[in-house]
Amino acid sequence: MNKRKLHLFQRVAIPLGFLCLFFLAARFTGCDLAAFWKRRSHLTDLVADMIPPDFSYIRKILLPLFYTIQMSVTGTVLGAFFAIAAAPFAAANLKFPAALRRILRILIQVLRSFPALILALTATFLFGLGTFAGTFAITLYTFAIMTKLTYEDISAADPKPYLALCSMGVSRFQAYVHAVIPDIAPGFLTNALYLLEANVRHSSILGYVGAGGIGLLLNEKISWLEFDKVGMILLMLFLTVCAIEYFSRYLASLVRGERRIKKEHARLLVLFLAAVFVICTVTLSPPDFSRTSPQTLRNMLDGFLHPDWSFFFSTGKDGLFYLLLETVCIAFIGTVIGAVLSIPLAFLNTRRFVPAPVCFLFNLLIMGIRSVPFLVYGLIFIRVSGPGAFTGVLTLAVCSIGLLTKRFTESLDALDMRPYHALLAMGVRPLPAICHSVLPQLKPVFTSIVLYRFDVNIREASVLGLVGAGGIGAPLIFSMNQYAWSKAGAILLGLILLVWLIDLLSSKIGEQN
């Protein structure tokens, strides 16, 4: 009886606690939907100004767009390559030295704490302005995420074939190549293709900090209120994301064995992919060390190693604790709103539940949402809701809708539909059938996807301050641009600890599901 009461208490208390936390965070971030609705005309007017786009501007977009794709392709391939080489040393079940495993995991945790924009800004101090710095940042960003995902996949894989080869005298790394990589290859390549698409969006804003790509052009046209040119830039990004999306789906279907092609066609495909990577890599702008100051680098390192502890422990509104709390609240509210809206959109985005024409329209809508960089959403929403944390919430909510709907749709496409069709055959209406047969199957998967998106939103919220959307981004970037390295070191340390705590919390919640 006590167990039943405890279970009932948990079923009631956890949702109520979650709702209380949601409303407290919403109040802390100043969420005001009524004020947003009153000022909605600012948003519709801005969108109207983008239509029709200025097609004559396309010639000036092509080269910066190529730089964006160049950084994405080279950074993703190099990051994924280094990740699959480093991941076995971080996996506990492959029996590599424990000290090496701990050091590598700490390094990955540190790198995962920083968004690509911050890595790119840091890289410009090392390599100068240009696409080399941007590519270096995308490589590090990809390496950190792919290494974590890969060593988690390795830890979940069956180690018996690997251990059998090791017992026969094969070296650990050779055993990893022959026994583990074939097992994790489909998941690894799927993750890499997913990151490639995400990196196009990351690369498109690196120009904000001088790291190349289309971001500088985009920021310039928004600042000059030339929204017809902004519309053309966003249209080109949309077409790029669509092309990458459909090509990634094709490659993913080949990897999973859902589609087969002739051997000669497979060779041509490999040669084409290799040629794209080589062209993107050899045409990168070389690093410019002429403006790299050894004294600046020493000051940077000294500041990072000796953070400003007075700022670190400050509890005022301009202190680290308040700014980190605001960042967490922005990410939390944005993720929750995005997750709630993504669930019905995911059902409308798959042919399993709606006719093909409806699915196609929603597919285009979701790709359109995903193709716009998150800082651009911030610059758009700030004209409606004004500067502050509420703008950050709106920005991350929309970004979460695009990415969560994609991942939810993929989960629905892999679903066992027999229980759902059985309920329909018994006369149950579609909505109750979904609630009783589909959602229970997807609860653990959806929870994992939402927790991952929350982790991503923490990093994205940490740079939204760049456009006045609250959080810790503005103080961090201003500190780095003003060479206040001790304050920047305190903020970076705070971000590392915050992402680490969120990671621990996500792991605990994931274990319970």
Side-chain angles (χ1 to χ4, degrees):
M1 186 67 178
N2 289 333
K3 288 184 178 180
R4 289 181 62 187
K5 287 183 177 180
L6 179 61
H7 181 65
L8 180 63
F9 174 77
Q10 288 177 340
R11 290 187 62 182
V12 174
I14 292 176
L16 284 177
F18 183 84
L19 284 175
C20 290
L21 190 62
F22 177 83
F23 286 112
L24 286 173
R27 184 170 183 177
F28 183 79
T29 52
C31 293
D32 189 349
L33 293 177
F36 177 80
W37 183 252
K38 288 179 182 178
R39 294 171 56 86
R40 67 188 183 279
S41 61
H42 293 268
L43 181 61
T44 55
D45 290 344
L46 190 150
V47 173
D49 289 338
M50 295 184 189
I51 302 172
D54 183 0
F55 289 97
S56 65
Y57 193 62
I58 191 170
R59 289 176 297 176
K60 294 189 177 180
I61 296 174
L62 293 178
L63 186 58
L65 182 61
F66 169 73
Y67 291 150
T68 298
I69 297 171
Q70 177 187 46
M71 291 188 292
S72 307
V73 170
T74 301
T76 303
V77 173
L78 291 178
F81 173 78
F82 293 136
I84 201 167
F89 300 101
N93 60 343
L94 298 192
K95 309 301 181 183
F96 282 93
L100 181 60
R101 180 173 69 250
R102 294 190 189 99
I103 292 171
L104 183 57
R105 288 195 177 192
I106 291 172
L107 174 63
I108 295 305
Q109 185 63 43
V110 170
L111 289 176
R112 282 184 61 250
S113 304
F114 308 138
L117 193 69
I118 299 302
L119 293 173
L121 179 57
T122 306
T124 59
F125 290 104
L126 300 173
F127 307 111
L129 305 178
T131 54
F132 188 90
T135 304
F136 181 81
I138 294 296
T139 300
L140 280 184
Y141 181 82
T142 303
F143 169 75
I145 294 177
M146 286 298 296
T147 302
K148 184 175 189 297
L149 293 174
T150 305
Y151 78 65
E152 288 176 349
D153 287 345
I154 293 171
S155 299
D158 183 5
K160 292 178 182 177
Y162 167 83
L163 296 175
L165 287 178
C166 290
S167 65
M168 295 167 61
V170 178
S171 69
R172 291 175 183 173
F173 202 78
Q174 285 181 319
Y176 166 68
V177 170
H178 291 94
V180 179
I181 288 182
D183 189 22
I184 65 169
F188 176 84
L189 292 173
T190 300
N191 290 333
L193 291 170
Y194 174 76
L195 260 181
L196 173 62
E197 181 197 327
N199 284 341
V200 171
R201 292 188 300 277
H202 291 307
S203 300
S204 67
I205 62 171
L206 297 187
Y208 281 71
V209 294
I214 207 168
L216 186 60
L217 195 63
L218 193 54
N219 184 40
E220 176 187 286
K221 297 309 168 187
I222 291 176
S223 301
W224 291 355
L225 306 182
E226 297 181 3
F227 292 114
D228 55 340
K229 292 180 172 60
V230 172
M232 191 66 236
I233 295 172
L234 295 181
L235 176 60
M236 293 299 293
L237 281 174
F238 169 70
L239 294 175
T240 302
V241 168
C242 286
I244 293 175
E245 167 87 5
Y246 285 112
F247 190 59
S248 296
R249 287 183 185 178
Y250 174 74
L251 291 178
S253 65
L254 290 178
V255 169
R256 291 193 294 264
E258 299 169 358
R259 185 192 300 263
R260 296 186 181 277
I261 58 174
K262 296 178 180 179
K263 287 186 178 181
E264 54 269 24
H265 293 166
R267 292 192 193 100
L268 288 175
L269 179 61
V270 172
L271 286 174
F272 170 75
L273 295 175
V276 170
F277 170 70
V278 170
I279 291 171
C280 289
T281 304
V282 299
T283 56
L284 281 172
S285 62
D288 181 10
F289 295 109
S290 62
R291 297 183 182 180
T292 304
S293 168
Q295 183 60 44
T296 299
L297 298 181
R298 283 194 293 269
N299 292 340
M300 182 190 300
L301 182 61
D302 184 66
F304 290 165
L305 295 177
H306 300 88
D308 183 352
W309 294 114
S310 61
F311 175 75
F312 186 87
F313 290 107
S314 174
T315 55
K317 283 197 171 184
D318 58 347
L320 180 66
F321 178 79
Y322 182 91
L323 293 171
L324 287 177
L325 179 61
E326 186 177 56
T327 300
V328 172
C329 289
I330 291 171
F332 175 66
I333 298 295
T335 305
V336 172
I337 294 174
V340 170
L341 296 177
S342 295
I343 292 174
L345 286 173
F347 282 93
L348 295 169
N349 197 41
T350 175
R351 294 183 183 180
R352 288 189 152 198
F353 295 94
V354 297
V358 176
C359 174
F360 177 75
L361 290 176
F362 276 93
N363 205 327
L364 285 180
L365 172 65
I366 299 306
M367 279 196 288
I369 292 173
R370 290 207 318 273
S371 65
V372 179
F374 71 96
L375 280 185
V376 175
Y377 280 123
L379 289 168
I380 291 173
F381 282 125
I382 205 169
R383 298 178 183 278
V384 183
S385 53
F390 184 38
T391 295
V393 169
L394 294 171
T395 299
L396 292 186
V398 174
C399 293
S400 297
I401 287 171
L403 294 172
L404 287 176
T405 302
K406 173 181 167 62
R407 299 301 294 269
F408 288 171
T409 302
E410 291 171 352
S411 300
L412 289 172
D413 288 338
L415 185 72
D416 181 2
M417 296 293 290
R418 286 175 295 180
Y420 173 72
H421 291 305
L423 288 176
L424 291 181
M426 294 168 61
V428 179
R429 292 182 178 274
L431 186 58
I434 288 172
C435 293
H436 290 91
S437 66
V438 175
L439 295 183
Q441 293 185 65
L442 295 174
K443 181 185 174 183
V445 180
F446 277 17
T447 301
S448 174
I449 293 170
V450 171
L451 289 174
Y452 174 75
R453 182 61 205 177
F454 178 55
D455 181 71
V456 172
N457 279 346
I458 287 288
R459 292 191 294 275
E460 294 194 348
S462 67
V463 295
L464 281 175
L466 182 64
V467 294
I472 205 166
L476 174 57
I477 292 172
F478 291 158
S479 298
M480 295 178 73
N481 284 331
Q482 295 169 4
Y483 304 105
W485 300 117
S486 294
K487 185 176 181 180
I491 296 174
L492 293 176
L493 177 60
L495 276 175
I496 293 170
L497 294 175
L498 175 63
V499 172
W500 176 65
L501 289 172
I502 296 296
D503 197 40
L504 287 178
L505 179 63
S506 298
S507 299
K508 292 293 183 183
I509 295 174
E511 289 173 2
Q512 293 177 0
N513 286 277

